[in-house]
mmCIF file of all heavy atoms in Angstrom:
data_model
loop_
_atom_site.group_PDB
_atom_site.id
_atom_site.type_symbol
_atom_site.label_atom_id
_atom_site.label_comp_id
_atom_site.label_asym_id
_atom_site.label_seq_id
_atom_site.Cartn_x
_atom_site.Cartn_y
_atom_site.Cartn_z
ATOM 1 N N SER A 1 -11.318 -9.677 6.202
ATOM 2 C CA SER A 1 -10.258 -9.763 5.200
ATOM 3 C C SER A 1 -8.891 -9.620 5.859
ATOM 4 O O SER A 1 -8.749 -8.987 6.904
ATOM 5 C CB SER A 1 -10.440 -8.654 4.152
ATOM 6 O OG SER A 1 -10.345 -7.378 4.748
ATOM 7 N N ALA A 2 -7.896 -10.226 5.218
ATOM 8 C CA ALA A 2 -6.535 -10.138 5.733
ATOM 9 C C ALA A 2 -6.033 -8.709 5.598
ATOM 10 O O ALA A 2 -6.383 -7.987 4.664
ATOM 11 C CB ALA A 2 -5.634 -11.095 4.966
ATOM 12 N N SER A 3 -5.192 -8.318 6.532
ATOM 13 C CA SER A 3 -4.627 -6.971 6.514
ATOM 14 C C SER A 3 -3.193 -7.016 6.011
ATOM 15 O O SER A 3 -2.388 -7.827 6.458
ATOM 16 C CB SER A 3 -4.667 -6.376 7.927
ATOM 17 O OG SER A 3 -4.118 -5.078 7.934
ATOM 18 N N ILE A 4 -2.892 -6.142 5.055
ATOM 19 C CA ILE A 4 -1.560 -6.081 4.440
ATOM 20 C C ILE A 4 -0.861 -4.803 4.869
ATOM 21 O O ILE A 4 -1.443 -3.715 4.801
ATOM 22 C CB ILE A 4 -1.659 -6.119 2.904
ATOM 23 C CG1 ILE A 4 -2.274 -7.438 2.435
ATOM 24 C CG2 ILE A 4 -0.289 -5.915 2.265
ATOM 25 C CD1 ILE A 4 -2.558 -7.475 0.938
ATOM 26 N N LEU A 5 0.378 -4.928 5.315
ATOM 27 C CA LEU A 5 1.227 -3.753 5.522
ATOM 28 C C LEU A 5 2.032 -3.558 4.245
ATOM 29 O O LEU A 5 2.823 -4.424 3.866
ATOM 30 C CB LEU A 5 2.167 -3.950 6.710
ATOM 31 C CG LEU A 5 3.155 -2.796 6.971
ATOM 32 C CD1 LEU A 5 2.411 -1.501 7.258
ATOM 33 C CD2 LEU A 5 4.103 -3.134 8.104
ATOM 34 N N TYR A 6 1.809 -2.442 3.564
ATOM 35 C CA TYR A 6 2.455 -2.156 2.281
ATOM 36 C C TYR A 6 3.389 -0.963 2.471
ATOM 37 O O TYR A 6 2.964 0.121 2.883
ATOM 38 C CB TYR A 6 1.385 -1.855 1.230
ATOM 39 C CG TYR A 6 1.913 -1.442 -0.120
ATOM 40 C CD1 TYR A 6 2.997 -2.085 -0.706
ATOM 41 C CD2 TYR A 6 1.310 -0.403 -0.823
ATOM 42 C CE1 TYR A 6 3.472 -1.706 -1.951
ATOM 43 C CE2 TYR A 6 1.770 -0.017 -2.070
ATOM 44 C CZ TYR A 6 2.849 -0.661 -2.627
ATOM 45 O OH TYR A 6 3.314 -0.281 -3.862
ATOM 46 N N ILE A 7 4.681 -1.166 2.186
ATOM 47 C CA ILE A 7 5.685 -0.119 2.398
ATOM 48 C C ILE A 7 6.311 0.247 1.059
ATOM 49 O O ILE A 7 7.059 -0.540 0.471
ATOM 50 C CB ILE A 7 6.757 -0.576 3.402
ATOM 51 C CG1 ILE A 7 6.102 -1.111 4.685
ATOM 52 C CG2 ILE A 7 7.704 0.575 3.727
ATOM 53 C CD1 ILE A 7 7.062 -1.730 5.670
ATOM 54 N N GLU A 8 6.003 1.441 0.576
ATOM 55 C CA GLU A 8 6.449 1.912 -0.738
ATOM 56 C C GLU A 8 6.472 3.433 -0.705
ATOM 57 O O GLU A 8 5.480 4.068 -0.358
ATOM 58 C CB GLU A 8 5.487 1.409 -1.823
ATOM 59 C CG GLU A 8 5.603 2.082 -3.176
ATOM 60 C CD GLU A 8 6.931 1.806 -3.868
ATOM 61 O OE1 GLU A 8 7.132 0.649 -4.273
ATOM 62 O OE2 GLU A 8 7.735 2.752 -3.988
ATOM 63 N N ASP A 9 7.619 4.047 -1.050
ATOM 64 C CA ASP A 9 7.721 5.501 -0.968
ATOM 65 C C ASP A 9 7.246 6.212 -2.223
ATOM 66 O O ASP A 9 6.931 7.402 -2.180
ATOM 67 C CB ASP A 9 9.166 5.912 -0.651
ATOM 68 C CG ASP A 9 10.121 5.608 -1.799
ATOM 69 O OD1 ASP A 9 10.063 4.471 -2.314
ATOM 70 O OD2 ASP A 9 10.902 6.485 -2.174
ATOM 71 N N ASP A 10 7.176 5.511 -3.371
ATOM 72 C CA ASP A 10 6.716 6.126 -4.603
ATOM 73 C C ASP A 10 5.195 6.324 -4.548
ATOM 74 O O ASP A 10 4.439 5.355 -4.465
ATOM 75 C CB ASP A 10 7.090 5.252 -5.805
ATOM 76 C CG ASP A 10 6.782 5.928 -7.131
ATOM 77 O OD1 ASP A 10 5.590 6.155 -7.423
ATOM 78 O OD2 ASP A 10 7.727 6.212 -7.887
ATOM 79 N N ARG A 11 4.741 7.570 -4.583
ATOM 80 C CA ARG A 11 3.314 7.853 -4.411
ATOM 81 C C ARG A 11 2.458 7.266 -5.522
ATOM 82 O O ARG A 11 1.351 6.768 -5.272
ATOM 83 C CB ARG A 11 3.086 9.369 -4.325
ATOM 84 C CG ARG A 11 3.609 9.993 -3.037
ATOM 85 C CD ARG A 11 3.345 11.489 -3.009
ATOM 86 N NE ARG A 11 3.801 12.086 -1.769
ATOM 87 C CZ ARG A 11 3.068 12.180 -0.671
ATOM 88 N NH1 ARG A 11 1.833 11.702 -0.669
ATOM 89 N NH2 ARG A 11 3.550 12.753 0.416
ATOM 90 N N ASP A 12 2.952 7.342 -6.761
ATOM 91 C CA ASP A 12 2.162 6.824 -7.885
ATOM 92 C C ASP A 12 2.010 5.309 -7.795
ATOM 93 O O ASP A 12 0.902 4.768 -7.882
ATOM 94 C CB ASP A 12 2.811 7.213 -9.221
ATOM 95 C CG ASP A 12 2.741 8.717 -9.482
ATOM 96 O OD1 ASP A 12 1.797 9.346 -8.959
ATOM 97 O OD2 ASP A 12 3.608 9.244 -10.191
ATOM 98 N N ILE A 13 3.143 4.612 -7.626
ATOM 99 C CA ILE A 13 3.094 3.151 -7.517
ATOM 100 C C ILE A 13 2.308 2.743 -6.282
ATOM 101 O O ILE A 13 1.436 1.864 -6.328
ATOM 102 C CB ILE A 13 4.515 2.557 -7.459
ATOM 103 C CG1 ILE A 13 5.262 2.832 -8.766
ATOM 104 C CG2 ILE A 13 4.463 1.055 -7.179
ATOM 105 C CD1 ILE A 13 6.715 2.399 -8.751
ATOM 106 N N GLY A 14 2.598 3.400 -5.161
ATOM 107 C CA GLY A 14 1.922 3.064 -3.919
ATOM 108 C C GLY A 14 0.422 3.248 -4.008
ATOM 109 O O GLY A 14 -0.348 2.433 -3.501
ATOM 110 N N GLY A 15 0.001 4.307 -4.691
ATOM 111 C CA GLY A 15 -1.424 4.582 -4.820
ATOM 112 C C GLY A 15 -2.166 3.513 -5.589
ATOM 113 O O GLY A 15 -3.196 2.996 -5.132
ATOM 114 N N TRP A 16 -1.623 3.139 -6.765
ATOM 115 C CA TRP A 16 -2.380 2.169 -7.569
ATOM 116 C C TRP A 16 -2.293 0.753 -6.999
ATOM 117 O O TRP A 16 -3.259 -0.010 -7.082
ATOM 118 C CB TRP A 16 -1.998 2.222 -9.043
ATOM 119 C CG TRP A 16 -0.663 1.718 -9.486
ATOM 120 C CD1 TRP A 16 0.419 2.460 -9.789
ATOM 121 C CD2 TRP A 16 -0.280 0.357 -9.726
ATOM 122 N NE1 TRP A 16 1.466 1.670 -10.176
ATOM 123 C CE2 TRP A 16 1.069 0.367 -10.160
ATOM 124 C CE3 TRP A 16 -0.927 -0.860 -9.609
ATOM 125 C CZ2 TRP A 16 1.769 -0.797 -10.475
ATOM 126 C CZ3 TRP A 16 -0.231 -2.034 -9.924
ATOM 127 C CH2 TRP A 16 1.094 -1.988 -10.339
ATOM 128 N N VAL A 17 -1.146 0.403 -6.398
ATOM 129 C CA VAL A 17 -1.048 -0.926 -5.784
ATOM 130 C C VAL A 17 -1.976 -1.022 -4.574
ATOM 131 O O VAL A 17 -2.691 -2.016 -4.397
ATOM 132 C CB VAL A 17 0.404 -1.235 -5.368
ATOM 133 C CG1 VAL A 17 0.462 -2.497 -4.501
ATOM 134 C CG2 VAL A 17 1.278 -1.424 -6.602
ATOM 135 N N SER A 18 -1.993 0.024 -3.745
ATOM 136 C CA SER A 18 -2.863 0.037 -2.576
ATOM 137 C C SER A 18 -4.329 -0.069 -2.987
ATOM 138 O O SER A 18 -5.097 -0.857 -2.418
ATOM 139 C CB SER A 18 -2.630 1.320 -1.774
ATOM 140 O OG SER A 18 -3.457 1.373 -0.640
ATOM 141 N N ASP A 19 -4.730 0.719 -3.994
ATOM 142 C CA ASP A 19 -6.116 0.674 -4.473
ATOM 143 C C ASP A 19 -6.461 -0.696 -5.043
ATOM 144 O O ASP A 19 -7.558 -1.221 -4.820
ATOM 145 C CB ASP A 19 -6.342 1.748 -5.543
ATOM 146 C CG ASP A 19 -6.344 3.155 -4.959
ATOM 147 O OD1 ASP A 19 -6.479 3.285 -3.726
ATOM 148 O OD2 ASP A 19 -6.197 4.120 -5.738
ATOM 149 N N PHE A 20 -5.522 -1.291 -5.780
ATOM 150 C CA PHE A 20 -5.775 -2.606 -6.383
ATOM 151 C C PHE A 20 -5.988 -3.664 -5.310
ATOM 152 O O PHE A 20 -6.918 -4.479 -5.400
ATOM 153 C CB PHE A 20 -4.604 -2.998 -7.292
ATOM 154 C CG PHE A 20 -4.760 -4.358 -7.922
ATOM 155 C CD1 PHE A 20 -5.538 -4.534 -9.050
ATOM 156 C CD2 PHE A 20 -4.145 -5.465 -7.361
ATOM 157 C CE1 PHE A 20 -5.701 -5.791 -9.623
ATOM 158 C CE2 PHE A 20 -4.298 -6.733 -7.918
ATOM 159 C CZ PHE A 20 -5.081 -6.888 -9.058
ATOM 160 N N LEU A 21 -5.128 -3.657 -4.291
ATOM 161 C CA LEU A 21 -5.248 -4.650 -3.226
ATOM 162 C C LEU A 21 -6.551 -4.467 -2.446
ATOM 163 O O LEU A 21 -7.185 -5.441 -2.033
ATOM 164 C CB LEU A 21 -4.045 -4.566 -2.288
ATOM 165 C CG LEU A 21 -2.707 -5.016 -2.886
ATOM 166 C CD1 LEU A 21 -1.555 -4.714 -1.920
ATOM 167 C CD2 LEU A 21 -2.716 -6.502 -3.237
ATOM 168 N N LYS A 22 -6.955 -3.220 -2.256
ATOM 169 C CA LYS A 22 -8.224 -2.961 -1.573
ATOM 170 C C LYS A 22 -9.390 -3.487 -2.403
ATOM 171 O O LYS A 22 -10.358 -4.043 -1.860
ATOM 172 C CB LYS A 22 -8.389 -1.468 -1.315
ATOM 173 C CG LYS A 22 -7.477 -0.930 -0.227
ATOM 174 C CD LYS A 22 -7.630 0.578 -0.060
ATOM 175 C CE LYS A 22 -6.669 1.114 1.000
ATOM 176 N NZ LYS A 22 -6.762 2.587 1.114
ATOM 177 N N GLU A 23 -9.308 -3.318 -3.731
ATOM 178 C CA GLU A 23 -10.353 -3.836 -4.612
ATOM 179 C C GLU A 23 -10.439 -5.356 -4.537
ATOM 180 O O GLU A 23 -11.502 -5.944 -4.755
ATOM 181 C CB GLU A 23 -10.091 -3.400 -6.056
ATOM 182 C CG GLU A 23 -10.317 -1.914 -6.300
ATOM 183 C CD GLU A 23 -9.891 -1.486 -7.696
ATOM 184 O OE1 GLU A 23 -9.489 -2.375 -8.488
ATOM 185 O OE2 GLU A 23 -9.960 -0.277 -7.999
ATOM 186 N N LYS A 24 -9.310 -6.000 -4.230
ATOM 187 C CA LYS A 24 -9.280 -7.460 -4.081
ATOM 188 C C LYS A 24 -9.836 -7.911 -2.731
ATOM 189 O O LYS A 24 -9.919 -9.111 -2.461
ATOM 190 C CB LYS A 24 -7.840 -7.965 -4.232
ATOM 191 C CG LYS A 24 -7.299 -7.913 -5.660
ATOM 192 C CD LYS A 24 -7.975 -8.966 -6.528
ATOM 193 C CE LYS A 24 -7.371 -9.031 -7.913
ATOM 194 N NZ LYS A 24 -8.016 -10.071 -8.751
ATOM 195 N N GLY A 25 -10.178 -6.944 -1.893
ATOM 196 C CA GLY A 25 -10.792 -7.287 -0.618
ATOM 197 C C GLY A 25 -9.874 -7.258 0.584
ATOM 198 O O GLY A 25 -10.285 -7.592 1.697
ATOM 199 N N TYR A 26 -8.625 -6.849 0.395
ATOM 200 C CA TYR A 26 -7.686 -6.797 1.512
ATOM 201 C C TYR A 26 -7.793 -5.460 2.246
ATOM 202 O O TYR A 26 -8.102 -4.428 1.647
ATOM 203 C CB TYR A 26 -6.243 -6.962 1.016
ATOM 204 C CG TYR A 26 -5.950 -8.286 0.361
ATOM 205 C CD1 TYR A 26 -5.728 -8.373 -1.006
ATOM 206 C CD2 TYR A 26 -5.893 -9.455 1.114
ATOM 207 C CE1 TYR A 26 -5.450 -9.592 -1.617
ATOM 208 C CE2 TYR A 26 -5.623 -10.672 0.522
ATOM 209 C CZ TYR A 26 -5.409 -10.733 -0.845
ATOM 210 O OH TYR A 26 -5.139 -11.943 -1.438
ATOM 211 N N GLY A 27 -7.487 -5.498 3.533
ATOM 212 C CA GLY A 27 -7.266 -4.265 4.251
ATOM 213 C C GLY A 27 -5.811 -3.860 4.029
ATOM 214 O O GLY A 27 -4.927 -4.717 4.091
ATOM 215 N N VAL A 28 -5.548 -2.601 3.754
ATOM 216 C CA VAL A 28 -4.187 -2.165 3.422
ATOM 217 C C VAL A 28 -3.768 -0.997 4.302
ATOM 218 O O VAL A 28 -4.462 0.017 4.393
ATOM 219 C CB VAL A 28 -4.074 -1.746 1.934
ATOM 220 C CG1 VAL A 28 -2.646 -1.300 1.618
ATOM 221 C CG2 VAL A 28 -4.478 -2.894 1.019
ATOM 222 N N LYS A 29 -2.617 -1.148 4.954
ATOM 223 C CA LYS A 29 -1.972 -0.049 5.662
ATOM 224 C C LYS A 29 -0.735 0.329 4.866
ATOM 225 O O LYS A 29 0.213 -0.457 4.750
ATOM 226 C CB LYS A 29 -1.576 -0.490 7.079
ATOM 227 C CG LYS A 29 -0.765 0.557 7.855
ATOM 228 C CD LYS A 29 -1.590 1.784 8.158
ATOM 229 C CE LYS A 29 -0.792 2.792 8.977
ATOM 230 N NZ LYS A 29 -1.575 4.009 9.293
ATOM 231 N N TRP A 30 -0.750 1.520 4.250
ATOM 232 C CA TRP A 30 0.342 1.941 3.369
ATOM 233 C C TRP A 30 1.251 2.928 4.094
ATOM 234 O O TRP A 30 0.809 3.978 4.556
ATOM 235 C CB TRP A 30 -0.249 2.563 2.097
ATOM 236 C CG TRP A 30 0.762 3.168 1.159
ATOM 237 C CD1 TRP A 30 2.073 2.844 1.034
ATOM 238 C CD2 TRP A 30 0.514 4.213 0.208
ATOM 239 N NE1 TRP A 30 2.679 3.613 0.067
ATOM 240 C CE2 TRP A 30 1.751 4.459 -0.456
ATOM 241 C CE3 TRP A 30 -0.617 4.944 -0.150
ATOM 242 C CZ2 TRP A 30 1.864 5.426 -1.458
ATOM 243 C CZ3 TRP A 30 -0.495 5.907 -1.150
ATOM 244 C CH2 TRP A 30 0.731 6.137 -1.796
ATOM 245 N N LEU A 31 2.532 2.566 4.210
ATOM 246 C CA LEU A 31 3.553 3.443 4.768
ATOM 247 C C LEU A 31 4.513 3.857 3.658
ATOM 248 O O LEU A 31 4.807 3.068 2.766
ATOM 249 C CB LEU A 31 4.347 2.733 5.866
ATOM 250 C CG LEU A 31 3.586 2.214 7.086
ATOM 251 C CD1 LEU A 31 4.562 1.543 8.053
ATOM 252 C CD2 LEU A 31 2.834 3.344 7.778
ATOM 253 N N GLN A 32 5.024 5.078 3.738
ATOM 254 C CA GLN A 32 5.968 5.554 2.734
ATOM 255 C C GLN A 32 7.414 5.521 3.219
ATOM 256 O O GLN A 32 8.329 5.951 2.523
ATOM 257 C CB GLN A 32 5.575 6.967 2.280
ATOM 258 C CG GLN A 32 4.233 6.970 1.559
ATOM 259 C CD GLN A 32 3.831 8.331 1.070
ATOM 260 O OE1 GLN A 32 4.669 9.124 0.643
ATOM 261 N NE2 GLN A 32 2.539 8.629 1.138
ATOM 262 N N SER A 33 7.627 4.981 4.411
ATOM 263 C CA SER A 33 8.975 4.715 4.921
ATOM 264 C C SER A 33 8.858 3.554 5.895
ATOM 265 O O SER A 33 7.759 3.162 6.296
ATOM 266 C CB SER A 33 9.569 5.944 5.620
ATOM 267 O OG SER A 33 8.993 6.108 6.902
ATOM 268 N N GLY A 34 10.012 3.019 6.285
ATOM 269 C CA GLY A 34 9.991 1.867 7.173
ATOM 270 C C GLY A 34 10.160 2.190 8.635
ATOM 271 O O GLY A 34 10.308 1.282 9.462
ATOM 272 N N GLU A 35 10.120 3.469 8.994
ATOM 273 C CA GLU A 35 10.417 3.866 10.368
ATOM 274 C C GLU A 35 9.478 3.229 11.392
ATOM 275 O O GLU A 35 9.897 2.839 12.478
ATOM 276 C CB GLU A 35 10.360 5.396 10.502
ATOM 277 C CG GLU A 35 11.307 6.143 9.565
ATOM 278 C CD GLU A 35 12.771 5.827 9.819
ATOM 279 O OE1 GLU A 35 13.111 5.506 10.967
ATOM 280 O OE2 GLU A 35 13.569 5.901 8.870
ATOM 281 N N LYS A 36 8.206 3.112 11.063
ATOM 282 C CA LYS A 36 7.222 2.569 12.015
ATOM 283 C C LYS A 36 6.731 1.187 11.596
ATOM 284 O O LYS A 36 5.681 0.731 12.064
ATOM 285 C CB LYS A 36 6.038 3.532 12.143
ATOM 286 C CG LYS A 36 6.397 4.887 12.741
ATOM 287 C CD LYS A 36 5.162 5.751 12.917
ATOM 288 C CE LYS A 36 5.522 7.096 13.560
ATOM 289 N NZ LYS A 36 4.309 7.947 13.734
ATOM 290 N N ALA A 37 7.499 0.522 10.743
ATOM 291 C CA ALA A 37 7.044 -0.747 10.189
ATOM 292 C C ALA A 37 6.825 -1.817 11.253
ATOM 293 O O ALA A 37 5.813 -2.534 11.231
ATOM 294 C CB ALA A 37 8.046 -1.250 9.147
#
């Protein structure tokens, strides 16, 4: 599966979006800041 870099600092939004994308079959790397993007 394709790997997605997801950058979102809001924990609630980040959590459900990350979980949704994983359910769609994507690999997800979630960062809460852009420092190591």
Side-chain angles (χ1 to χ4, degrees):
S1 62
S3 180
I4 297 173
L5 177 60
Y6 176 42
I7 309 173
E8 165 66 69
D9 68 312
D10 187 294
R11 290 180 178 272
D12 292 333
I13 296 174
W16 71 258
V17 169
S18 180
D19 289 344
F20 178 81
L21 291 173
K22 288 177 182 177
E23 289 173 4
K24 288 289 185 179
Y26 297 110
V28 180
K29 174 67 178 180
W30 174 25
L31 301 180
Q32 295 181 36
S33 76
E35 302 298 331
K36 296 184 178 180

